[in-house]
Each structure stands twice: as C-alpha cells, then as structure tokens.
Amino acid sequence: MGWWRWALRGVGIVVTVLVLVGAGRFLWPQPGIDEQPGSAWRQLAFVRAAIDGGADVEAQGQFPEGYYFSNALYGLAWVQVGLADPGTRDEALREARWALGRVESERGREVFSPGLRPAYGIFWAGWTNWLRGGILALGGTGDAAEVERFVDGVAEMAAAFTGSATPFLQAYPGQAWPVDSTVAIAALRLHDSLFAPRFGAEVAQWLTAVRARLDPATGMLPHRVSAADGTPVQGARATSQSVIQRFLPEIDADFAAQQYARYRGEFLAFPGGFGPALREYPRGVPGSGDVDSGPLVAGVSLSSTVVALGAARVNGDESLATALGSAGELLGLPLTLPGSKRYAFGLVPIGDAFVVWSATARPFTTAPPPAGTRDLPWWWRLPWLAVLCLGASAPWLPRVAGLWHRRRESAPKDPRPAATSTAN
C-alpha cells in the first residue's frame, strides 16, 4: 500500500500548488484603468490563432453574431492596445484592418438584412463604423479610402436616425435593441472627434428621445423595445447594460454618469457573499438565462460580468475594474504559455475575445477618466480567501486528523488506579 499513499500525497501536492497559484493570481495587483494588462498581446495571439483555426465560424453556431463578434472584438482590442502603447501601432493597425475586412466580408454580413436602414441593420452598421473609426483614430486620417468608408457609413446611420420615429433602429427586421443604437451614436461622436463636428444635432435629438423611453422600473435604457415606436418591451438587463455603459461615456458624460450609478446599484451583486459579479436582472426581479446572457449561476451572468470590466474602466470605476480583473484571474482558469494566454482552457475562444476587449477598454472620443472613489465592501476578498485556504488544506486534513488520533492513542496512560469513594 506504500505506492497508494505516495500517489495520494502527490495528488495532494498538486491540488495545493494549484490552489496557491490561484491565490497568487487573485491577489496579484491588477492594472489601473489607464493601463493595459501585460498579458494583452498573449491573449490577442490566442484569439488570432483560434480565429485562424475556424473558431469564429464555430461561434456562429452558438449565437447569431458569433462570427461577427469574434472578429470585431479582436480588431477593437488591437485598436485599444495601439492607442495605449504607440510602440504597437503598426501591428495594431495591421490586425485591426484584417479584422475589419472579415466583418465587412460576405460572411460577416450574411445573417443581416441589406434591406434595412442603414443597410444590414444598426447592429452591423454601428459596430462596423466604430471599428472603422477606431482604425482612423489609431492610424490617422491619411488614407482617403478608409476615411470615405467611415464618413459615408456614419452619414448613412445619421440619416436613418433622423428619418426614424424611434431612437432605437432595427438590428433585424422587426427587432430592435437599444444597445445597438448606442454603439452607432457613439460612432457619430467618434466622427466629430476626428473631423469637423457634423452630427451634434443628431446626437442631441437621440439623447432627448432616449430619455423619454427609459425603462420605468429602473430609469435605464431597456433591453428590448418595439421596433415601431421604441417603447420598452423588456426592461433593463445586464447583458445589454454592460455594453451600453461601455459606450455612453463616449456620447454624453452627464447622462453616462447617471446611468452608470443606476447600473451599479441595480446589477452589482455578491451572491452568497462572493463577488463582485453582475446579476442578469435588476435587484429583486426574477428571470432565466437565454442566448443573450448564457446560463445564469445564482442569477449571475458570466458574460455580463466579463463585459462589466470594460464598462468600469471607461467610467473611471477603478475599484470595480480591478476587483473584476482579480476575480477573473481566479475563476477564469487562465492558462498562460510563452506565446499565448487563454481562459477556461481555451474552450470558448469568443469568450477570450470579450475578455481582451474588456480588459483593454479605453475611450476613443475623450481622455481616459480619472479613477473614481466608488468603493466595494472592504470584506469582498475574504470569502474567496477562505475557500482558497480550505482548498489548499483539504488534501492534508485526513492525514492531520489521523496523526492527531494516533498521538492520543499512543499517549501513556496514568498508572494510578481510579479513586473510589467509601461511605462513612
């Protein structure tokens, strides 16, 4: 039985080492909101290799925008890295343009309707023009063809907003989500930050119309609306709010600050004392997961929590951004190799695309915000550290208990006879 004991000890050592590595990742300082993760290039290398291997096509089988998001987020993450580190500019431009070519391709447009206004719907137009504008912000406006495509694209979107009875344009025929129009309006603002202001009236009109159509229960942009008039069909949800909060600071700082405060109050959660995380539905509202949110764990959407990291960075919420980064390094099961880094063992590459886009998030139209003073509960790390301590010690508890028991059994007995009482 000697080999069996040594095997168990080996397993115990491996478990303890893995837990201690996880604890180290959890406690390791995270980059500030004006900094980039040191592993960003490794993450991007993995995403690029995954896309080259067909991961974007596989993601299309998981949800309707899988192919598009895999490529667009890869390109946008490179733009963000390039804006933060001029030394990476040439590589960032090359990779972002490569990604743009894929989202503009026939495959990138095939699930969208060319008959919508703007063509292919506001989801495709908004994200595509945001990437086009990001490339111009990174590489300058010297390429006349790139400039023309961007200017024509945002002009088409502006005309569609002006001619619409609702501020929320259709992404698919008869279907509208406010998050998609938010990205598009941010692209209009990006145009005006790169060139002579042109779309200020359209942006102001959009903000006025949006304020009249907020979710009455939360005072936030709804998740889904009527394509006819923009009235809420489904109230605010973290899946779309985490993206909306990433883009609102690009549009209007005051409105963004108001909405972000509501977002934090309604969706930030510590289920069972563990967190921070983003619940999918507002506080006190039940609901189930779907294709947008993914499966919910204790009401928490993992995808919304990942994207919340980018929202926190762009809104100057350093405490939440660093906490989400720490939790991701623990729970995301990252695997770092010399040339790549992946989460969840690389089983869901589109998830890695969302992670690197969120972890490198920075504004395109304004300067990065100063770190805010919002605090998390002082104790937020303690439940995780308690679990880690238990995990590290668990393999050895039976052995410690056995040694303690044997020591008690082998302790010398008192030779004196027990005292007896005598009656008087």
Side-chain angles (χ1 to χ4, degrees):
M1 291 295 292
W3 69 270
W4 179 245
R5 292 193 186 95
W6 281 109
L8 289 177
R9 289 175 185 174
V11 171
I13 291 171
V14 170
V15 170
T16 299
V17 168
L18 290 176
V19 172
L20 292 177
V21 169
R25 290 182 177 275
F26 179 61
L27 295 172
W28 193 261
Q30 293 294 308
I33 57 175
D34 58 344
E35 301 171 331
Q36 295 293 301
S39 62
W41 71 270
R42 288 188 175 91
Q43 294 175 257
L44 288 164
F46 169 72
V47 176
R48 174 60 194 263
I51 292 174
D52 287 342
D56 51 354
V57 177
E58 293 177 9
Q60 187 62 37
Q62 300 170 15
F63 64 103
E65 298 87 20
Y67 178 91
Y68 187 96
F69 265 139
S70 296
N71 289 284
L73 296 179
Y74 174 75
L76 287 168
W78 263 118
V79 170
Q80 292 168 170
V81 168
L83 290 172
D85 181 3
T88 65
R89 175 181 173 275
D90 291 343
E91 183 179 10
L93 276 173
R94 182 180 68 249
E95 293 301 306
R97 285 168 172 155
W98 175 83
L100 176 61
R102 292 176 75 82
V103 303
E104 290 180 326
S105 69
E106 183 177 350
R107 183 183 287 274
R109 293 178 283 122
E110 67 182 357
V111 300
F112 304 104
S113 174
L116 291 176
R117 189 181 184 199
Y120 302 103
I122 200 62
F123 172 92
W124 186 91
W127 283 95
T128 301
N129 283 296
W130 182 250
L131 178 54
R132 287 170 176 163
I135 290 172
L136 294 178
L138 178 61
T141 57
D143 187 317
E146 284 186 340
V147 171
E148 183 179 7
R149 285 198 301 274
F150 175 63
V151 172
D152 288 349
V154 294
E156 183 186 11
M157 293 193 303
F161 280 112
T162 299
S164 174
T166 165
F168 306 128
L169 305 185
Q170 297 178 57
Y172 299 98
Q175 301 179 71
W177 290 264
V179 59
D180 302 325
S181 292
T182 304
V183 178
I185 292 295
L188 299 189
R189 285 281 293 113
L190 180 53
H191 171 279
D192 286 4
S193 73
L194 294 171
F195 305 100
R198 176 180 173 184
F199 299 113
E202 287 85 350
V203 173
Q205 178 185 3
W206 184 83
L207 287 167
T208 299
V210 164
R211 288 188 175 100
R213 293 169 173 82
L214 296 176
D215 169 25
T218 62
M220 304 175 69
L221 275 73
H223 179 67
R224 188 162 59 90
V225 296
S226 164
D229 59 11
T231 54
V233 171
Q234 186 176 29
R237 287 178 51 180
T239 295
S240 55
Q241 280 298 320
S242 292
V243 178
I244 288 171
Q245 303 306 321
R246 161 62 185 88
F247 285 94
L248 280 183
E250 312 274 7
I251 300 170
D252 184 272
D254 292 337
F255 185 56
Q258 297 165 10
Q259 289 289 295
Y260 186 76
R262 292 178 181 273
Y263 165 74
R264 219 175 183 271
E266 291 288 350
F267 295 103
L268 185 59
F270 293 83
F274 294 88
L278 275 293
R279 63 170 64 89
E280 176 61 18
Y281 295 89
R283 192 179 303 275
V285 177
S288 57
D290 56 20
V291 68
D292 291 328
S293 66
L296 304 185
V297 180
V300 165
S301 168
L302 301 182
S303 60
S304 300
T305 300
V306 167
V307 178
L309 170 56
R313 284 175 59 91
V314 173
N315 282 275
D317 191 353
E318 187 158 32
S319 60
L320 181 57
T322 54
L324 289 171
S326 295
E329 290 302 302
L330 174 64
L331 302 177
L333 302 176
L335 176 61
T336 302
L337 300 173
S340 69
K341 181 178 181 180
R342 65 203 69 187
Y343 289 83
F345 305 110
L347 297 176
V348 189
I350 191 172
D352 290 88
F354 273 102
V355 169
V356 70
W357 174 65
S358 300
T360 60
R362 59 183 292 114
F364 287 7
T365 65
T366 63
T373 58
R374 304 177 184 91
D375 290 324
L376 297 178
W378 65 267
W379 48 262
W380 76 268
R381 291 183 188 269
L382 296 182
W384 295 115
L385 291 175
V387 169
L388 288 167
C389 288
L390 180 61
S393 60
W396 313 107
L397 291 178
R399 180 171 175 78
V400 171
L403 290 173
W404 180 77
H405 180 72
R406 286 195 295 272
R407 179 171 294 182
R408 289 199 61 186
E409 289 294 319
S410 62
K413 301 294 189 292
D414 190 342
R416 293 175 298 175
T420 57
S421 62
T422 57
N424 291 327

